Amino acid sequence: MARKRYPRFGALEPGLVHEALVGSVLKLDPRRQIENPVMLAVEIGGIVTTAGFFVGLSTATGEQSLFTGLVSLWLWLTVLFSNFAESLSEGRGKARAASLRQSRTSVPARRLAREAFDAPANEVASSDLRPGDLVLVKESEIIPGDGEVIRGAALVNEAAITGESAPVVREAGGDRSAVTGGTTVLANEIIVRVTTEPGRTFLDRMIAMVEGAERRKTPNEVALEILLLALTAVFLAVVGNIYPVSAYSASFTGSGAPASLTVLVALFVCLAPTTIAALLPAIGIAGMDRLFQRNIVALSGRAIEAAGDVNVLLLDKTGTITLGNRQAAEFVPVEGQSRDELMQASLLSSYADETPEGRSILALVREKTGVAPACPPGARFIPFSAATRVSGAECDGTSYLKGAADAITRLVPERGGAVPPDLATKVNGIASAGGTPLVVARDRTILGVIFLKDILKTGIRERFADLRRIGIRTVMITGDNPLTAAAIAAEAGVDDYLAEAKPDDKLRLIRETQDEGYMVAMTGDGTNDAPALAQADVAVAMNNGTQPAREAANIIDLDSDPTKLLDIVEIGKEILMTRGALTTFSIANDIAKYFAIIPAALVGIYPQLAILNIMDLATPQSAILSAVIFNALVIPLLIPIALAGVRFKPMPASRLFAYNLVIFGLGGLVAPFIGIKALDLLIAGVL
C-alpha cells in the first residue's frame, strides 16, 4: 500500500522564508541574542560602528563616514544572516508541529466502571481522563488518549500520527498493545487503560520535540560553543591591544595613524569564528528535522548526538536482520520417498494455513511445478494447536500432516509407523544451516522435510560491511539456538551474536559493553526490552510496541521498522560530520581573511605588512570592506549545507578527517581569496 509521508518543507519555501526573515529581526533582541555569544559580540560591534557613523556625519570626511556606514551595514547583515539560518531551521520544525497539532483534538470518551465490555459507562471529555481510567472504543471511534489495550483486538488507523496509510492490529497482551491518542479504530472494539496525563501524551511530546527551538544542546555542541567563546575572547583581547600598540607605534615613528574603532571592529569580526557560530544552532535543529522526514522522532537531542558516537549496535534478528517471516526454500525427501509426493503432501497440509510460512509453502510448490495449487473437494482441515504442534488436512480418508520434528516423530509411531533412519540427519542439516525444519507425513509415513529459511533483508550484509568500515561492531540478538544463530550471523555478516537471549541477558550484555568504554545502541518493542532500552545510550522503540518500551526509549520509530537504527546512526554521524566540516571551513576561511584585513588595518604604521597583501587589494578601505562583506555573505551561502547536512560516507575516521580537510579545509582556504578579490574589484570600481 502506498505510504503517506509528512509534508516536506524545502529550505527556501516562500512561507518559511518569510517567517524566518521576521524571526531574524526579532532575534536581534540582545536578550535572545545572548544565546549565541559570538554573534552578540558582532551585534555589539554593529551598534558601535552605527553610532560612529552618525557621529562621523558631522565630524569626519564624507569618505570616512561612508566607509564606517558600509562596515556597520554589513555587520548588521552578518547578524541577520545568522539569525535567518536559525529561524529557518526552527520554522521547518514548527511547520511540522503545526501539521501534528491538527491531529490533537478533544474527543468524547466512554469511561468504564470496570474491566468488561458490558460494564456501566459514562461519557467524559478526553481531557478529563487520568492514568488508570478504562475506556471502551468502538468501531469508527477515535482513541481518546495514550494507553494499552487490555481487552479485545482491533484494526487501528494510525495515519494521523505515523503517516502510515495501512491500518495495524492492536490487541491485548504481547508487544502490540500500545495505542496512541488521536488514532481511529476501523474494526472491532477494545478496552484501553489510559497511561498518560492530558497534555503529556505521545503526540504532545512529538510536537514539543519537532519544534527545534525547544531542544536542549548536546554535549558536543556545548563543547564546540565553549571553543568558539574561547577563540572569541582571545581575538577580542588581541584586537583590544592593537589600538594602544598602533597608537604608540604611530607616535614613535611619526607616520600613519592608530587603527580606528571601525577598523578594529571589522578586524575582530573577521578574525572571530562567526561562520560556524552563525550556523551551529541550525545544524542541530536540522538534524532532528532530517530524522522526522524519515518518520523518526527523537525525544532527546542528546540521543541524536550519541547516535553519531555509537560504536556497538545490538539488533534483533527477526524483523531487523531478517524479513521476520520464514520462507519455504526447499523440499527435502527422506530416502525412499519422491520429491513430488512430498510436495503434494506439503501442499495439502498447508492449503488452509494462513500463516506467512504456510503461504510460502504454496508459493514454492507453484514455483517448482508451474501449476497453481488446488485443494480437492471435501478436504477437512486440521488446524494447528499448541498441544499437538502439527497442522494439516484429511482428503479421501488420508491425513496429511506437517509440524515440528519432535511432534511428528512422536505422532507417527503412535499410529504404527516408523521414523526413517536418515530423518535426523536431514533435520540437523537444515538446523545447522540456520533453517527451521518442518517434517511432513502422510498417514503413518514420513515423507521428508520442508526447509524454512530466515530470509535476510535486501542489502543488510552490505550495510553491516559499511558500519564495520567506520569501526561500528554489530551484534545480533536472537532467541534461536546457538547453531541456528551462528548460521544466520555468518550469512548476515554481523560481527557477533547472542543466542537464546532473555531480557536479563540483553541488559547484561549492554552493561558489559558500556563498561568496556563503548557507546551502545539497540532496538526493542516489548515490555521485556524496557530494561535494556533504558540502559542503552541510544534506545529506539517501535511505535507499535508496548508503553514501557516507548517510555524507556529516547527515539521512537513511527514506522516500527527496526532497521532504521542504522539510519539513525548515519544521521547522527551526519550531524557530527556537518559540524566538523563547517568548523574546518570556518577556521580555514578565517586564515585567508587575515591576509586581507591585517595588512589593510596596519599598513599605514607598518609598511612592511604590504608584503602580506598577496591578493593585491586596491586600498585598505576596499580590502576591509571586501573582507567584511564576504564574511557576511558566506553565511547564507552555507545555509543549505547546514540544513541538508554533509552526506555520510562509510570510511575510517582517519580517511574521513582527511576527506573533510581536503574538501572543506581547502575550500575554506581558497574561497575567500576568490571572493574577497572579486568584491575588492567591484568596490574599487564603484568607489
Side-chain angles (χ1 to χ4, degrees):
M1 198 172 279
R3 165 162 303 288
K4 172 188 173 184
R5 284 290 181 187
Y6 291 107
R8 296 184 65 110
F9 301 96
L12 299 178
E13 187 171 323
L16 295 182
V17 170
H18 178 265
E19 291 183 8
L21 288 173
V22 174
S24 62
V25 175
L26 296 177
K27 285 178 179 290
L28 290 175
D29 184 343
R31 292 170 298 182
R32 300 180 65 179
Q33 199 68 49
I34 198 171
E35 297 176 3
N36 192 338
V38 177
M39 300 314 298
L40 176 62
V42 178
E43 182 172 335
I44 293 172
I47 294 172
V48 170
T49 54
T50 300
F53 167 70
F54 286 111
V55 171
L57 286 177
S58 58
T59 60
T61 65
E63 184 179 344
Q64 291 175 328
S65 181
L66 177 62
F67 172 70
T68 303
L70 289 174
V71 170
S72 176
L73 171 65
W74 283 99
L75 292 185
W76 284 112
L77 287 174
T78 301
V79 180
L80 287 172
F81 289 154
S82 170
N83 292 347
F84 178 77
E86 184 173 3
S87 296
L88 188 60
S89 56
E90 289 175 0
R92 298 206 306 180
K94 291 175 181 176
R96 297 184 196 283
S99 69
L100 285 174
R101 281 197 181 92
Q102 297 174 3
S103 304
R104 186 176 59 184
T105 57
S106 180
V107 297
R110 194 178 290 104
R111 185 163 57 190
L112 299 177
R114 55 187 170 82
E115 187 182 320
F117 285 103
D118 59 353
N122 64 303
E123 190 170 292
V124 299
S126 59
S127 57
D128 294 332
L129 294 174
R130 294 294 180 268
D133 285 348
L134 303 177
V135 294
L136 174 64
V137 188
K138 297 184 177 182
E139 184 176 324
S140 301
E141 293 182 348
I142 296 175
I143 297 173
D146 292 358
E148 286 190 291
V149 179
I150 59 173
R151 283 287 183 93
L155 198 63
V156 179
N157 178 9
E158 296 186 341
I161 306 300
T162 67
E164 173 61 70
S165 58
V168 294
V169 175
R170 294 289 177 260
E171 57 189 348
D175 296 342
R176 301 292 183 269
S177 61
V179 291
T180 303
T183 57
T184 304
V185 172
L186 297 180
N188 300 336
E189 58 184 31
I190 50 177
I191 295 177
V192 176
R193 179 186 289 118
V194 177
T195 57
T196 56
E197 296 275 359
R200 301 181 61 185
T201 65
F202 177 61
L203 181 58
D204 291 313
R205 294 171 69 194
M206 283 178 60
I207 292 171
M209 292 311 302
V210 299
E211 289 184 326
E214 298 183 14
R215 71 181 183 88
R216 292 184 298 174
K217 294 178 181 178
T218 62
N220 281 340
E221 189 174 351
V222 171
L224 184 53
E225 284 193 347
I226 292 173
L227 174 62
L228 297 181
L229 281 174
L231 290 175
T232 301
V234 168
F235 289 130
L236 189 60
V238 169
V239 172
N241 283 292
I242 285 179
Y243 179 79
V245 171
S246 64
Y248 173 79
S249 298
S251 63
F252 181 79
T253 60
S255 62
S260 68
L261 184 60
T262 301
V263 170
L264 292 177
V265 171
L267 177 61
F268 165 73
V269 170
C270 289
L271 294 180
T274 52
T275 303
I276 186 60
L279 297 172
L280 184 59
I283 295 171
I285 298 172
M288 298 184 73
D289 182 72
R290 287 200 297 279
L291 274 178
F292 196 71
Q293 289 177 13
R294 304 191 191 189
N295 271 16
I296 302 169
V297 177
L299 303 179
S300 163
R302 294 173 183 267
I304 309 176
E305 198 78 51
D309 291 326
V310 160
N311 36 37
V312 175
L313 287 180
L314 305 184
L315 307 105
D316 286 331
K317 182 203 76 175
T318 305
T320 304
I321 295 174
T322 64
L323 292 175
N325 299 317
R326 295 167 300 173
Q327 304 286 311
E330 187 55 76
F331 297 106
V332 183
V334 295
E335 186 175 351
Q337 303 296 332
S338 70
R339 180 174 275 100
D340 289 341
E341 288 183 329
L342 172 59
M343 286 194 293
Q344 179 67 13
S346 300
L347 163 65
L348 295 174
S349 63
S350 304
Y351 199 85
D353 187 349
E354 292 299 325
T355 65
E357 291 86 354
R359 290 194 295 269
S360 75
I361 292 172
L362 299 183
L364 185 60
V365 171
R366 183 187 301 112
E367 178 186 328
K368 296 287 187 182
T369 63
V371 178
C375 184
R380 184 180 70 85
F381 300 108
I382 303 171
F384 175 86
S385 73
T388 63
R389 297 168 62 211
V390 299
S391 63
E394 285 189 1
C395 301
D396 298 327
T398 302
S399 63
Y400 299 89
L401 301 174
K402 74 174 189 299
D406 58 339
I408 296 293
T409 54
R410 182 180 63 252
L411 185 62
V412 166
E414 290 175 357
R415 296 186 172 190
V419 177
D422 62 331
L423 178 64
T425 301
K426 296 185 183 302
V427 166
N428 292 335
I430 291 173
S432 63
T436 300
L438 278 184
V439 178
V440 179
R442 183 183 61 221
D443 284 337
R444 300 180 300 171
T445 304
I446 293 178
L447 302 176
V449 188
I450 302 173
F451 185 168
L452 292 181
K453 184 178 181 181
D454 282 305
I455 306 299
L456 293 182
K457 290 191 173 181
T458 303
I460 195 74
R461 185 180 180 91
E462 290 74 19
R463 297 194 73 179
F464 288 149
D466 289 341
L467 293 173
R468 190 176 300 110
R469 280 196 291 272
I470 60 173
I472 295 180
R473 184 165 64 96
T474 52
V475 181
M476 182 185 76
I477 301 176
T478 177
D480 290 339
N481 62 68
L483 198 62
T484 301
I488 296 294
E491 184 179 1
V494 296
D495 299 304
D496 203 354
Y497 64 90
L498 178 66
E500 298 177 341
K502 296 182 288 295
D504 54 336
D505 296 324
K506 300 177 186 179
L507 181 59
R508 183 174 60 254
L509 175 61
I510 291 176
R511 286 176 173 170
E512 290 174 353
T513 305
Q514 289 172 330
D515 288 342
E516 295 173 3
Y518 295 102
M519 293 282 287
V520 181
M522 78 160 288
T523 62
D525 57 3
T527 300
N528 61 352
D529 291 322
L533 286 169
Q535 181 67 36
D537 299 293
V538 178
V540 183
M542 303 298 102
N543 187 49
N544 63 7
T546 63
Q547 190 70 18
R550 297 203 300 183
E551 290 178 351
N554 48 28
I555 293 178
I556 305 291
D557 173 28
L558 301 181
D559 290 336
S560 300
D561 178 2
T563 60
K564 283 193 182 177
L565 180 57
L566 305 181
D567 296 327
I568 292 167
V569 170
E570 289 184 0
I571 291 175
K573 289 194 174 295
E574 282 181 1
I575 294 174
L576 295 180
M577 288 176 58
T578 303
R579 195 171 291 148
L582 292 183
T583 300
T584 302
F585 184 93
S586 178
I587 294 173
N589 192 49
D590 290 340
I591 292 174
K593 286 182 289 188
Y594 300 160
F595 289 94
I597 200 164
I598 290 179
L602 302 174
V603 72
I605 302 173
Y606 308 108
Q608 299 88 344
L609 291 177
I611 195 174
L612 296 179
N613 184 20
I614 59 178
M615 286 182 274
D616 192 27
L617 303 178
T619 65
Q621 288 79 11
S622 68
I624 293 171
L625 194 54
S626 297
V628 171
I629 294 174
F630 179 84
N631 191 69
L633 291 179
V634 76
I635 295 172
L637 291 176
L638 291 176
I639 286 177
I641 295 179
L643 295 183
V646 176
R647 186 178 178 184
F648 172 69
K649 295 180 180 294
M651 62 180 70
S654 57
R655 286 187 57 198
L656 188 59
F657 175 77
Y659 174 83
N660 282 338
L661 195 62
V662 170
I663 300 299
F664 291 94
L666 187 59
L669 193 62
V670 172
F673 282 99
I674 299 173
I676 291 174
K677 179 60 179 178
L679 288 168
D680 179 73
L681 291 173
L682 180 63
I683 292 170
V686 173
L687 301 180

